[in-house]
Amino acid sequence: MLSVLWIVIGVVVFSATIAAIGSDNLGEYVWYLWTTFVPSQAASNVKQLREIQREAITVSTERSNTSSQDEFAKWAKLNRKVDKLRGEIEKLNAAISTQRAFFKSQVRRLIWISTTGMKIFVRIKYRKAAVFWLPKGMFPYWVEWMLSFTSAPMGSVSVSAWFMITDYAIKGAVAFAISKTAEMAIAKRKVPVPAAKLSDKKTGPEKKVPRQEKKSQ
Amino acid sequence: MEEDELAPTLQNILDQQSLRWIFVGGKGGVGKTTTSCSLAVQLAQCRKNVLLISTDPAHNLSDAFGQQFGKEARKVEGIPNLSAMEIDPSGSIQEMIEQANAQSNGMSNIMQDLAFSIPGVDEAMSFAEVMKQVKSTDFDVIVFDTAPTGHTLRFLSFPTVLEKALAKVSELSGRFGPMLNGLLGGQAGAGAGAGGPDGDMFAKLETMRATINEVNTQFKDPDLTTFICVCIPEFLSLYETERMIQELSSYRIDVHCIVVNQLLYPAKSSTCAQCNARYKMQQKYVEQIGDLYEGDFHIVRLPQLTDEVRGIDKIKTFSRMLVEPYEPPNA
């Protein structure tokens, strides 16, 4: 039964991680990786777009370096090229943005399946299993009843209850980690302060810093 | 400079018997009217019946031929198989609105305002009008002397723009028509019972769309329609011409002739400083035109004359230069 315990923890940790990153951000990252490293239609479009954009820049610089009055023929030819490239860029942009929207929606679906969907699946599959047994008589009857909710045997902890507990714990841990990191970041920023204090007290910004320190203490 | 792959004349237009619509366009003041009159005169010599139409609000066919023309096709004196007419693009839409207002009610008013505020619709309607007229009589070819560039382009872009817009309007009216009808029920009165005037209005819009669609297909057929660009060898005119050619090809309207007008050929002994300077400048642009369009276009070079091209005889002499390349006197 230990395995159920760890499955639940795994699922919860995984969802918490994704929630911390943000599913939209994750979609962006995956899209970026997909278009950069995986050979696909979208990737070739993105590559093509970059090439055309580069070309358009060269051609339009060339055009602006050409006098339209003295070399009209050359200028007009460059102008035609610029217009053509612009049209292509627009078309590619449109194609890419549809592909990207589709891709991101697929990623979101996948995320849902691997987090919320997984939670539901685990709850249903192990609904009758006991994650672990409680020592007898440790809790009053009604607590035991609640912990075994919905259909785990009496005196054990059910998957649902275990999900709630781990979820609560991990969320707390994440919040704690975030606040700790923030604190550390602030602390890091404060490191140069004593040095500033020592060196010179006349300049404006350095005077402000110690005040902040006092407040936080 | 005479290494053109294509002959520097408009002979190809005269030879292309399938042509039905010929547009002559360019910036204002480059000699569109002169060119179109000359072309019409030349066409009259090899076709049975030719019509010349001016859609420029500042009509000058009358001035060019020294004869008054109006809304109806009228024969040009001295050339029995050439007729000319001047139409006012804004005129026919005005008429239509007035006509529609006579039997208006709330709903159809709204839809009319919508339909008539579409850009290009007035020209479109005048075009449809012209097509109707032209269909009833039998002209082999119709030469259009169009208004200066911007106007012309709008005129020619309307099929695509307008079709979309009209489709939208009729969709909208289909969706909201009944609702608005209900709202305006009191106003519309008993007459609005079964679609009545509104249905009429939408039917009208529908026929308008159909006509425009036909115009569209005709104009995009290079066998039936071509556009002749007239320009003068100056920067702005060239710039406009290039833009016009690009735009026309984006509407898939055939362009394969450019008329370069008002070329100066001062005598070698000429001491006129302005003329010589201008000649040099013009030659520079003529060369640029050659570089840019040679191979794809017939480039016709016409000289600047010392007098205005007015009256049938002068137009006739001038028109010869469209078919026989002009040789500068002291070249």
Side-chain angles (χ1 to χ4, degrees):
Chain A
M1 281 304 117
L2 203 69
S3 61
V4 183
L5 188 143
W6 285 110
I7 286 168
V8 169
I9 291 175
V11 169
V12 170
V13 167
F14 181 70
S15 340
T17 317
I18 282 172
I21 298 170
S23 67
D24 207 50
N25 286 343
L26 197 67
E28 282 303 330
Y29 296 143
V30 178
W31 167 253
Y32 175 76
L33 294 177
W34 177 259
T35 51
T36 325
F37 299 112
V38 185
S40 67
Q41 177 72 40
S44 79
N45 273 355
V46 169
K47 209 177 145 203
Q48 209 184 339
L49 178 70
R50 277 180 203 145
E51 265 163 29
I52 290 176
Q53 272 169 337
R54 215 168 297 136
E55 201 187 337
I57 290 168
T58 356
V59 175
S60 65
T61 357
E62 204 184 339
R63 183 186 62 171
S64 51
N65 287 338
T66 309
S67 159
S68 55
Q69 309 230 344
D70 294 336
E71 301 163 281
F72 184 78
K74 196 182 163 200
W75 183 88
K77 275 175 196 162
L78 289 172
N79 199 37
R80 284 179 201 171
K81 229 186 198 170
V82 169
D83 285 347
K84 204 182 130 215
L85 290 174
R86 275 213 190 119
E88 274 171 37
I89 286 174
E90 237 164 69
K91 235 190 264 166
L92 274 176
N93 261 337
I96 288 170
S97 72
T98 26
Q99 277 168 340
R100 180 200 183 115
F102 177 72
F103 186 85
K104 280 177 80 177
S105 80
Q106 292 303 87
V107 168
R108 238 175 287 131
R109 178 176 295 176
L110 210 73
I111 287 174
W112 191 88
I113 289 171
S114 57
T115 57
T116 317
M118 199 62 191
K119 279 182 191 169
I120 292 167
F121 171 77
V122 171
R123 266 179 210 220
I124 291 170
K125 181 151 190 233
Y126 298 104
R127 68 189 179 282
K128 284 185 181 156
V131 177
F132 55 85
W133 295 93
L134 296 166
K136 242 184 188 168
M138 193 181 180
F139 295 107
Y141 176 81
W142 61 274
V143 174
E144 277 189 4
W145 180 81
M146 263 165 67
L147 285 176
S148 69
F149 197 76
T150 50
S151 27
M154 206 54 186
S156 73
V157 172
S158 75
V159 175
S160 292
W162 185 233
F163 254 119
M164 258 161 62
I165 294 158
T166 34
D167 211 38
Y168 186 77
I170 294 222
K171 268 185 190 151
V174 167
F176 179 74
I178 288 171
S179 70
K180 252 302 178 238
T181 333
E183 238 171 68
M184 268 160 73
I186 291 167
K188 232 184 204 174
R189 239 181 269 151
K190 278 179 187 166
V191 169
V193 170
K197 249 183 185 173
L198 287 173
S199 62
D200 202 31
K201 281 185 180 176
K202 277 170 193 171
T203 42
E206 281 158 7
K207 273 182 185 171
K208 277 177 193 165
V209 179
R211 252 184 250 147
Q212 272 179 358
E213 202 182 30
K214 271 175 201 164
K215 266 181 201 167
S216 67
Q217 280 167 355
Chain B
M1 265 179 19
E2 292 305 318
E3 63 209 20
D4 291 9
E5 285 169 42
L6 298 170
T9 63
L10 291 185
Q11 188 64 45
N12 64 92
I13 300 265
L14 302 183
D15 293 342
Q16 196 179 344
Q17 292 287 343
S18 64
L19 274 183
R20 262 178 77 61
W21 315 97
I22 299 171
F23 291 89
V24 179
K27 241 177 138 249
V30 296
K32 284 185 303 290
T33 305
T34 312
T35 311
S36 52
C37 291
S38 307
L39 181 64
V41 167
Q42 281 297 320
L43 280 167
Q45 289 174 12
C46 51
R47 306 284 160 92
K48 255 192 268 158
N49 223 345
V50 181
L51 178 64
L52 175 60
I53 299 175
S54 163
T55 56
D56 192 340
H59 294 303
N60 23 34
L61 284 188
S62 303
D63 294 333
F65 282 109
Q67 182 190 339
Q68 196 56 47
F69 295 108
K71 269 186 173 178
E72 307 290 310
R74 205 170 295 169
K75 291 214 180 309
V76 175
E77 282 163 31
I79 307 172
N81 61 343
L82 174 61
S83 312
M85 63 193 271
E86 294 178 339
I87 54 166
D88 190 357
S90 60
S92 63
I93 194 84
Q94 213 67 40
E95 253 169 52
M96 191 166 164
I97 289 174
E98 270 161 30
Q99 199 188 355
N101 274 350
Q103 32 138 340
S104 66
N105 62 36
M107 183 56 205
S108 68
N109 258 350
I110 294 168
M111 279 307 147
Q112 258 167 42
D113 287 349
L114 261 179
F116 292 144
S117 60
I118 300 165
V121 81
D122 41 353
E123 286 107 331
M125 290 317 290
S126 69
F127 230 106
E129 199 59 36
V130 169
M131 283 190 102
K132 229 188 280 167
Q133 274 197 35
V134 167
K135 258 185 200 162
S136 57
T137 48
D138 55 346
F139 289 104
D140 301 304
V141 61
I142 292 102
V143 180
F144 283 95
D145 175 23
T146 63
T149 311
H151 212 58
T152 314
L153 285 180
R154 203 166 66 129
F155 196 14
L156 286 174
S157 71
F158 75 76
T160 3
V161 177
L162 197 74
E163 250 225 272
K164 273 185 210 151
L166 276 182
K168 202 93 224 152
V169 166
S170 57
E171 187 194 314
L172 266 178
S173 62
R175 205 178 291 165
F176 297 118
M179 185 190 81
L180 281 172
N181 243 351
L183 282 176
L184 299 166
Q187 250 184 341
D198 295 347
D200 220 37
M201 188 60 213
F202 300 143
K204 234 185 249 169
L205 279 182
E206 239 357 90
T207 46
M208 194 156 120
R209 213 168 62 135
T211 326
I212 284 155
N213 220 348
E214 204 196 318
V215 175
N216 198 354
T217 41
Q218 289 228 359
F219 285 178
K220 282 185 178 169
D221 187 348
D223 288 332
L224 292 174
T225 308
T226 194
F227 198 102
I228 297 171
C229 293
V230 184
C231 66
I232 53 177
E234 264 171 35
F235 172 68
L236 271 179
S237 178
L238 273 192
Y239 177 78
E240 291 280 334
T241 307
E242 163 68 12
R243 245 188 38 177
M244 185 159 71
I245 288 173
Q246 292 309 317
E247 215 151 327
L248 286 171
S249 45
S250 77
Y251 305 143
R252 277 189 241 121
I253 290 166
D254 177 65
V255 201
H256 64 265
C257 293
I258 297 176
V259 175
V260 185
N261 202 0
Q262 297 181 6
L263 283 170
L264 285 176
Y265 292 105
K268 277 233 168 88
S269 56
S270 167
T271 52
C272 163
Q274 282 93 338
C275 311
N276 287 331
R278 205 158 182 80
Y279 169 75
K280 251 189 203 156
M281 190 205 77
Q282 289 195 341
Q283 287 309 310
K284 183 181 91 184
Y285 285 120
V286 168
E287 208 174 299
Q288 297 293 329
I289 293 174
D291 271 5
L292 191 55
Y293 300 114
E294 238 160 31
D296 303 320
F297 290 85
H298 294 272
I299 303 166
V300 188
R301 299 182 180 84
L302 297 177
Q304 168 82 63
L305 301 184
T306 45
D307 51 354
E308 276 194 276
V309 183
R310 277 190 177 196
I312 289 178
D313 296 327
K314 275 187 187 161
I315 289 176
K316 270 185 181 165
T317 13
F318 189 80
S319 73
R320 295 223 49 80
M321 286 187 288
L322 292 178
V323 263
E324 294 159 10
Y326 173 74
E327 289 296 330
N330 324 356

